[in-house]
mmCIF file of all heavy atoms in Angstrom:
data_model
loop_
_atom_site.group_PDB
_atom_site.id
_atom_site.type_symbol
_atom_site.label_atom_id
_atom_site.label_comp_id
_atom_site.label_asym_id
_atom_site.label_seq_id
_atom_site.Cartn_x
_atom_site.Cartn_y
_atom_site.Cartn_z
ATOM 1 N N ALA A 194 10.893 3.230 7.737
ATOM 2 C CA ALA A 194 12.001 2.520 7.114
ATOM 3 C C ALA A 194 11.588 1.747 5.877
ATOM 4 O O ALA A 194 12.329 0.921 5.369
ATOM 5 C CB ALA A 194 12.623 1.570 8.139
ATOM 6 N N ILE A 195 10.379 2.019 5.379
ATOM 7 C CA ILE A 195 9.842 1.238 4.278
ATOM 8 C C ILE A 195 10.721 1.339 3.035
ATOM 9 O O ILE A 195 11.269 2.380 2.727
ATOM 10 C CB ILE A 195 8.403 1.705 3.943
ATOM 11 C CG1 ILE A 195 7.700 0.699 3.057
ATOM 12 C CG2 ILE A 195 8.402 3.071 3.308
ATOM 13 C CD1 ILE A 195 6.209 0.924 2.958
ATOM 14 N N SER A 196 10.893 0.251 2.340
ATOM 15 C CA SER A 196 11.700 0.253 1.121
ATOM 16 C C SER A 196 10.841 0.637 -0.067
ATOM 17 O O SER A 196 9.618 0.673 0.003
ATOM 18 C CB SER A 196 12.273 -1.148 0.880
ATOM 19 O OG SER A 196 11.221 -2.054 0.614
ATOM 20 N N ALA A 197 11.480 0.947 -1.169
ATOM 21 C CA ALA A 197 10.730 1.289 -2.379
ATOM 22 C C ALA A 197 9.858 0.126 -2.804
ATOM 23 O O ALA A 197 8.719 0.296 -3.216
ATOM 24 C CB ALA A 197 11.704 1.668 -3.494
ATOM 25 N N LEU A 198 10.383 -1.109 -2.702
ATOM 26 C CA LEU A 198 9.610 -2.286 -3.082
ATOM 27 C C LEU A 198 8.406 -2.426 -2.167
ATOM 28 O O LEU A 198 7.284 -2.701 -2.614
ATOM 29 C CB LEU A 198 10.487 -3.542 -3.000
ATOM 30 C CG LEU A 198 9.798 -4.868 -3.365
ATOM 31 C CD1 LEU A 198 9.292 -4.803 -4.807
ATOM 32 C CD2 LEU A 198 10.751 -6.030 -3.191
ATOM 33 N N GLY A 199 8.612 -2.184 -0.862
ATOM 34 C CA GLY A 199 7.494 -2.254 0.077
ATOM 35 C C GLY A 199 6.464 -1.194 -0.209
ATOM 36 O O GLY A 199 5.274 -1.395 -0.028
ATOM 37 N N ALA A 200 6.937 -0.033 -0.646
ATOM 38 C CA ALA A 200 5.999 1.044 -0.973
ATOM 39 C C ALA A 200 5.103 0.651 -2.118
ATOM 40 O O ALA A 200 3.901 0.916 -2.116
ATOM 41 C CB ALA A 200 6.773 2.317 -1.339
ATOM 42 N N VAL A 201 5.664 0.006 -3.132
ATOM 43 C CA VAL A 201 4.865 -0.438 -4.264
ATOM 44 C C VAL A 201 3.808 -1.421 -3.803
ATOM 45 O O VAL A 201 2.644 -1.373 -4.198
ATOM 46 C CB VAL A 201 5.767 -1.059 -5.346
ATOM 47 C CG1 VAL A 201 4.925 -1.647 -6.461
ATOM 48 C CG2 VAL A 201 6.715 -0.014 -5.910
ATOM 49 N N ALA A 202 4.207 -2.334 -2.910
ATOM 50 C CA ALA A 202 3.243 -3.308 -2.397
ATOM 51 C C ALA A 202 2.142 -2.623 -1.610
ATOM 52 O O ALA A 202 0.966 -2.946 -1.735
ATOM 53 C CB ALA A 202 3.971 -4.327 -1.507
ATOM 54 N N LEU A 203 2.541 -1.639 -0.788
ATOM 55 C CA LEU A 203 1.560 -0.928 0.013
ATOM 56 C C LEU A 203 0.579 -0.171 -0.864
ATOM 57 O O LEU A 203 -0.622 -0.164 -0.630
ATOM 58 C CB LEU A 203 2.272 0.053 0.959
ATOM 59 C CG LEU A 203 1.379 0.893 1.865
ATOM 60 C CD1 LEU A 203 0.543 -0.009 2.762
ATOM 61 C CD2 LEU A 203 2.222 1.843 2.694
ATOM 62 N N VAL A 204 1.093 0.458 -1.910
ATOM 63 C CA VAL A 204 0.219 1.175 -2.828
ATOM 64 C C VAL A 204 -0.782 0.237 -3.468
ATOM 65 O O VAL A 204 -1.958 0.552 -3.624
ATOM 66 C CB VAL A 204 1.059 1.901 -3.907
ATOM 67 C CG1 VAL A 204 0.154 2.442 -5.000
ATOM 68 C CG2 VAL A 204 1.841 3.042 -3.287
ATOM 69 N N GLY A 205 -0.334 -0.949 -3.809
ATOM 70 C CA GLY A 205 -1.235 -1.902 -4.424
ATOM 71 C C GLY A 205 -2.355 -2.305 -3.498
ATOM 72 O O GLY A 205 -3.492 -2.501 -3.911
ATOM 73 N N VAL A 206 -2.065 -2.419 -2.197
ATOM 74 C CA VAL A 206 -3.075 -2.840 -1.235
ATOM 75 C C VAL A 206 -4.067 -1.730 -0.946
ATOM 76 O O VAL A 206 -5.265 -1.928 -0.872
ATOM 77 C CB VAL A 206 -2.385 -3.288 0.088
ATOM 78 C CG1 VAL A 206 -3.422 -3.514 1.164
ATOM 79 C CG2 VAL A 206 -1.590 -4.550 -0.149
ATOM 80 N N THR A 207 -3.559 -0.496 -0.799
ATOM 81 C CA THR A 207 -4.436 0.583 -0.344
ATOM 82 C C THR A 207 -5.116 1.334 -1.465
ATOM 83 O O THR A 207 -6.015 2.119 -1.224
ATOM 84 C CB THR A 207 -3.622 1.606 0.470
ATOM 85 O OG1 THR A 207 -2.617 2.166 -0.379
ATOM 86 C CG2 THR A 207 -2.977 0.953 1.661
ATOM 87 N N GLY A 208 -4.663 1.129 -2.685
ATOM 88 C CA GLY A 208 -5.284 1.844 -3.784
ATOM 89 C C GLY A 208 -4.878 3.291 -3.871
ATOM 90 O O GLY A 208 -5.568 4.109 -4.459
ATOM 91 N N VAL A 209 -3.747 3.649 -3.276
ATOM 92 C CA VAL A 209 -3.286 5.023 -3.340
ATOM 93 C C VAL A 209 -2.844 5.347 -4.752
ATOM 94 O O VAL A 209 -2.166 4.564 -5.395
ATOM 95 C CB VAL A 209 -2.100 5.228 -2.369
ATOM 96 C CG1 VAL A 209 -1.513 6.621 -2.548
ATOM 97 C CG2 VAL A 209 -2.542 5.027 -0.948
ATOM 98 N N LEU A 210 -3.235 6.526 -5.228
ATOM 99 C CA LEU A 210 -2.821 6.995 -6.539
ATOM 100 C C LEU A 210 -2.101 8.309 -6.369
ATOM 101 O O LEU A 210 -2.528 9.170 -5.614
ATOM 102 C CB LEU A 210 -4.041 7.194 -7.450
ATOM 103 C CG LEU A 210 -4.835 5.936 -7.740
ATOM 104 C CD1 LEU A 210 -6.074 6.301 -8.534
ATOM 105 C CD2 LEU A 210 -4.009 4.917 -8.512
ATOM 106 N N GLY A 211 -0.988 8.509 -7.078
ATOM 107 C CA GLY A 211 -0.299 9.775 -6.925
ATOM 108 C C GLY A 211 0.920 9.859 -7.791
ATOM 109 O O GLY A 211 1.286 8.918 -8.465
ATOM 110 N N ALA A 212 1.560 11.009 -7.730
ATOM 111 C CA ALA A 212 2.761 11.211 -8.505
ATOM 112 C C ALA A 212 3.639 12.241 -7.851
ATOM 113 O O ALA A 212 3.153 13.208 -7.313
ATOM 114 C CB ALA A 212 2.403 11.687 -9.912
ATOM 115 N N CYS A 213 4.962 12.033 -7.924
ATOM 116 C CA CYS A 213 5.921 13.009 -7.448
ATOM 117 C C CYS A 213 7.056 13.070 -8.436
ATOM 118 O O CYS A 213 7.702 12.057 -8.692
ATOM 119 C CB CYS A 213 6.498 12.623 -6.075
ATOM 120 S SG CYS A 213 5.306 12.615 -4.746
ATOM 121 N N SER A 214 7.322 14.215 -9.015
ATOM 122 C CA SER A 214 8.453 14.344 -9.920
ATOM 123 C C SER A 214 9.686 14.712 -9.126
ATOM 124 O O SER A 214 9.592 15.197 -8.007
ATOM 125 C CB SER A 214 8.168 15.408 -10.969
ATOM 126 O OG SER A 214 8.084 16.667 -10.372
ATOM 127 N N SER A 215 10.862 14.495 -9.725
ATOM 128 C CA SER A 215 12.104 14.772 -9.019
ATOM 129 C C SER A 215 12.229 16.240 -8.654
ATOM 130 O O SER A 215 12.645 16.573 -7.569
ATOM 131 C CB SER A 215 13.287 14.337 -9.873
ATOM 132 O OG SER A 215 14.497 14.621 -9.231
ATOM 133 N N ASP A 216 11.847 17.135 -9.590
ATOM 134 C CA ASP A 216 11.978 18.550 -9.269
ATOM 135 C C ASP A 216 10.802 19.059 -8.471
ATOM 136 O O ASP A 216 10.841 20.147 -7.924
ATOM 137 C CB ASP A 216 12.156 19.387 -10.538
ATOM 138 C CG ASP A 216 10.993 19.253 -11.500
ATOM 139 O OD1 ASP A 216 10.207 18.294 -11.354
ATOM 140 O OD2 ASP A 216 10.896 20.090 -12.402
ATOM 141 N N GLU A 217 9.732 18.261 -8.380
ATOM 142 C CA GLU A 217 8.579 18.678 -7.586
ATOM 143 C C GLU A 217 8.409 17.785 -6.367
ATOM 144 O O GLU A 217 7.697 18.113 -5.447
ATOM 145 C CB GLU A 217 7.302 18.598 -8.422
ATOM 146 C CG GLU A 217 7.257 19.598 -9.550
ATOM 147 C CD GLU A 217 5.978 19.485 -10.328
ATOM 148 O OE1 GLU A 217 5.519 18.360 -10.534
ATOM 149 O OE2 GLU A 217 5.456 20.522 -10.740
ATOM 150 N N GLY A 218 9.050 16.622 -6.362
ATOM 151 C CA GLY A 218 8.816 15.658 -5.307
ATOM 152 C C GLY A 218 9.741 15.859 -4.143
ATOM 153 O O GLY A 218 10.519 16.781 -4.062
ATOM 154 N N VAL A 219 9.664 14.904 -3.198
ATOM 155 C CA VAL A 219 10.412 14.997 -1.968
ATOM 156 C C VAL A 219 11.226 13.736 -1.786
ATOM 157 O O VAL A 219 10.727 12.629 -1.953
ATOM 158 C CB VAL A 219 9.459 15.176 -0.767
ATOM 159 C CG1 VAL A 219 10.236 15.206 0.517
ATOM 160 C CG2 VAL A 219 8.656 16.450 -0.928
ATOM 161 N N GLY A 220 12.483 13.889 -1.453
ATOM 162 C CA GLY A 220 13.289 12.751 -1.050
ATOM 163 C C GLY A 220 13.797 11.920 -2.197
ATOM 164 O O GLY A 220 14.129 10.755 -2.019
ATOM 165 N N ASN A 221 13.845 12.415 -3.409
ATOM 166 C CA ASN A 221 14.364 11.648 -4.526
ATOM 167 C C ASN A 221 15.838 11.966 -4.724
ATOM 168 O O ASN A 221 16.212 13.112 -4.937
ATOM 169 C CB ASN A 221 13.608 12.004 -5.818
ATOM 170 C CG ASN A 221 12.160 11.580 -5.742
ATOM 171 O OD1 ASN A 221 11.855 10.559 -5.153
ATOM 172 N ND2 ASN A 221 11.271 12.379 -6.313
ATOM 173 N N ASP A 222 16.671 10.959 -4.652
ATOM 174 C CA ASP A 222 18.093 11.176 -4.878
ATOM 175 C C ASP A 222 18.407 11.195 -6.360
ATOM 176 O O ASP A 222 19.374 11.788 -6.799
ATOM 177 C CB ASP A 222 18.900 10.072 -4.186
ATOM 178 C CG ASP A 222 18.722 10.125 -2.681
ATOM 179 O OD1 ASP A 222 18.602 11.243 -2.154
ATOM 180 O OD2 ASP A 222 18.701 9.069 -2.047
ATOM 181 N N GLY A 223 17.575 10.528 -7.171
ATOM 182 C CA GLY A 223 17.792 10.503 -8.606
ATOM 183 C C GLY A 223 16.766 11.330 -9.338
ATOM 184 O O GLY A 223 16.141 12.212 -8.775
ATOM 185 N N ASP A 224 16.568 11.003 -10.627
ATOM 186 C CA ASP A 224 15.652 11.776 -11.461
ATOM 187 C C ASP A 224 14.669 10.849 -12.144
ATOM 188 O O ASP A 224 14.147 11.148 -13.201
ATOM 189 C CB ASP A 224 16.463 12.566 -12.489
ATOM 190 C CG ASP A 224 15.627 13.665 -13.144
ATOM 191 O OD1 ASP A 224 14.732 14.188 -12.463
ATOM 192 O OD2 ASP A 224 15.876 13.965 -14.314
ATOM 193 N N THR A 225 14.385 9.701 -11.494
ATOM 194 C CA THR A 225 13.598 8.670 -12.154
ATOM 195 C C THR A 225 12.143 9.037 -12.322
ATOM 196 O O THR A 225 11.459 8.472 -13.156
ATOM 197 C CB THR A 225 13.678 7.357 -11.345
ATOM 198 O OG1 THR A 225 13.279 7.636 -10.001
ATOM 199 C CG2 THR A 225 15.095 6.807 -11.346
ATOM 200 N N ALA A 226 11.656 9.977 -11.545
ATOM 201 C CA ALA A 226 10.227 10.320 -11.613
ATOM 202 C C ALA A 226 9.996 11.659 -12.286
ATOM 203 O O ALA A 226 8.913 12.214 -12.221
ATOM 204 C CB ALA A 226 9.632 10.332 -10.211
ATOM 205 N N SER A 227 11.010 12.199 -12.955
ATOM 206 C CA SER A 227 10.918 13.564 -13.452
ATOM 207 C C SER A 227 9.859 13.756 -14.522
ATOM 208 O O SER A 227 9.410 14.861 -14.761
ATOM 209 C CB SER A 227 12.278 14.004 -13.991
ATOM 210 O OG SER A 227 12.681 13.152 -15.050
ATOM 211 N N SER A 228 9.448 12.672 -15.180
ATOM 212 C CA SER A 228 8.487 12.831 -16.270
ATOM 213 C C SER A 228 7.042 12.721 -15.808
ATOM 214 O O SER A 228 6.130 12.859 -16.608
ATOM 215 C CB SER A 228 8.740 11.754 -17.335
ATOM 216 O OG SER A 228 8.501 10.458 -16.791
ATOM 217 N N VAL A 229 6.840 12.467 -14.526
ATOM 218 C CA VAL A 229 5.488 12.218 -14.034
ATOM 219 C C VAL A 229 4.846 13.517 -13.574
ATOM 220 O O VAL A 229 5.406 14.255 -12.775
ATOM 221 C CB VAL A 229 5.502 11.194 -12.892
ATOM 222 C CG1 VAL A 229 4.081 10.945 -12.409
ATOM 223 C CG2 VAL A 229 6.124 9.901 -13.375
ATOM 224 N N ASP A 230 3.655 13.800 -14.090
ATOM 225 C CA ASP A 230 2.930 15.030 -13.783
ATOM 226 C C ASP A 230 2.027 14.777 -12.590
ATOM 227 O O ASP A 230 1.356 13.751 -12.518
ATOM 228 C CB ASP A 230 2.099 15.414 -15.008
ATOM 229 C CG ASP A 230 1.540 16.821 -14.916
ATOM 230 O OD1 ASP A 230 1.649 17.417 -13.839
ATOM 231 O OD2 ASP A 230 1.009 17.293 -15.925
ATOM 232 N N VAL A 231 1.972 15.732 -11.629
ATOM 233 C CA VAL A 231 1.105 15.567 -10.472
ATOM 234 C C VAL A 231 -0.262 16.214 -10.676
ATOM 235 O O VAL A 231 -1.069 16.239 -9.764
ATOM 236 C CB VAL A 231 1.751 16.142 -9.188
ATOM 237 C CG1 VAL A 231 3.011 15.406 -8.864
ATOM 238 C CG2 VAL A 231 1.998 17.634 -9.326
ATOM 239 N N GLU A 232 -0.538 16.728 -11.871
ATOM 240 C CA GLU A 232 -1.854 17.319 -12.131
ATOM 241 C C GLU A 232 -2.926 16.235 -12.064
ATOM 242 O O GLU A 232 -2.702 15.083 -12.431
ATOM 243 C CB GLU A 232 -1.871 17.992 -13.495
ATOM 244 C CG GLU A 232 -0.969 19.214 -13.603
ATOM 245 C CD GLU A 232 -1.368 20.305 -12.628
ATOM 246 O OE1 GLU A 232 -2.559 20.656 -12.584
ATOM 247 O OE2 GLU A 232 -0.487 20.805 -11.910
ATOM 248 N N ARG A 233 -4.130 16.625 -11.629
ATOM 249 C CA ARG A 233 -5.210 15.656 -11.466
ATOM 250 C C ARG A 233 -6.471 16.045 -12.232
ATOM 251 O O ARG A 233 -7.507 15.426 -12.060
ATOM 252 C CB ARG A 233 -5.551 15.517 -9.980
ATOM 253 C CG ARG A 233 -4.537 14.679 -9.194
ATOM 254 C CD ARG A 233 -4.621 13.222 -9.628
ATOM 255 N NE ARG A 233 -3.682 12.400 -8.907
ATOM 256 C CZ ARG A 233 -2.438 12.152 -9.304
ATOM 257 N NH1 ARG A 233 -1.989 12.692 -10.408
ATOM 258 N NH2 ARG A 233 -1.651 11.385 -8.601
#
């Protein structure tokens, strides 16, 4: 049930790095992440 704000906090604590675009990601109702590349 984590919120987006909680997710940001969790990422800050754990040092997780990643990216999900709207057309490549999962569970996005909008298109806010569409410009983010998941290449590493």
Side-chain angles (χ1 to χ4, degrees):
I195 194 167
S196 65
L198 180 60
V201 174
L203 179 60
V204 170
V206 171
T207 62
V209 174
L210 298 175
C213 295
S214 66
S215 179
D216 60 343
E217 293 181 321
V219 177
N221 294 325
D222 296 325
D224 195 31
T225 55
S227 60
S228 64
V229 181
D230 192 351
V231 298
E232 293 299 310
R233 284 291 180 270

